[in-house]
Amino acid sequence: TKISRFIEESEMVSATVARISSEADLPAEIGRYLSSQNLPAEIRVAPSLKNIAWERQPTLTVNDGPVLKTDTVGVNRAFAGVAETGTLVFRSGQNSPTTLNFLPFTHIAVLSIKDLHGNYESIWAKLRLVQGGELTPMPRTVNMVTGPSATGDIEQTMQHGAHGPQNVHIVLIDDENKAG
């Protein structure tokens, strides 16, 4: 299935993946992940996630606004996912600041299963359809993220976090049976 292929491909490039039943479970999953990685319980979230009931996880400090140098965890909603490569796709804009994807040490991406597609061609078709009703024909940037940042330039040893996040955690929301 698309879901199992996406998870397999994501894990192959050193991302971690968790599945939850609904957005209501997101605060607890993020709290669980941060605890499991011994990370501080403080996150910077995208405006697209402002309606989440973050108070369900009282130990979690949730910040909004521009990313700061001191932020260690950024949380953003992905526009889509590509099953054939485990890639996340983000449209830049007011609700999805690009800095959340690249500046914090850890990037947590939220992806609804209904936004999971088999290949890149499907993503571009979806993007054209969505952008057709907006003022500009395309966003300023479309970022495709496949796992954490990595390089093998230094003594041919794989290093994570060289040019972006050292960790990428994907939270898949099993919403495929919901209307809309």
Side-chain angles (χ1 to χ4, degrees):
T1 69
K2 281 189 296 191
I3 299 167
S4 58
R5 175 83 187 266
F6 178 80
I7 293 170
E8 181 181 316
E9 294 294 329
S10 296
E11 291 175 344
M12 204 165 10
V13 293
S14 301
T16 55
V17 182
R19 288 178 72 177
I20 60 176
S21 327
S22 71
E23 280 188 350
D25 299 328
L26 185 59
E29 168 51 29
I30 289 177
R32 183 210 62 78
Y33 173 76
L34 296 176
S35 177
S36 77
Q37 299 300 305
N38 201 28
L39 290 168
E42 184 171 357
I43 59 175
R44 175 79 51 188
V45 298
S48 62
L49 296 168
K50 69 180 177 189
N51 293 329
I52 300 294
W54 295 109
E55 65 278 1
R56 290 175 180 249
Q57 190 69 23
T59 58
L60 194 60
T61 301
V62 179
N63 300 308
D64 57 8
V67 175
L68 305 175
K69 282 195 236 181
T70 55
D71 289 330
T72 57
V73 180
V75 184
N76 203 352
R77 183 184 301 276
F79 171 71
V82 183
E84 70 182 355
T85 59
T87 299
L88 298 160
V89 180
F90 297 90
R91 295 186 314 156
S92 65
Q94 284 185 315
N95 287 327
S96 181
T98 298
T99 52
L100 280 171
N101 306 337
F102 300 114
L103 294 180
F105 177 76
T106 297
H107 179 208
I108 298 176
V110 179
L111 177 65
S112 295
I113 285 179
K114 67 178 174 45
D115 295 324
L116 187 57
H117 299 270
N119 55 44
Y120 288 100
E121 293 79 5
S122 299
I123 301 301
W124 289 112
K126 176 183 177 181
L127 185 62
R128 284 185 202 97
L129 182 67
V130 169
Q131 290 296 131
E134 296 187 12
L135 295 175
T136 56
M138 279 291 179
R140 183 176 289 185
T141 61
V142 174
N143 294 294
M144 297 185 182
V145 176
T146 309
S149 168
T151 184
D153 291 346
I154 304 164
E155 297 180 6
Q156 279 95 43
T157 302
M158 190 58 74
Q159 301 287 321
H160 287 278
H163 308 289
Q166 188 170 9
N167 306 302
V168 172
H169 182 61
I170 303 165
V171 181
L172 284 175
I173 301 176
D174 284 325
D175 56 1
E176 58 187 358
N177 297 321
K178 291 184 180 178

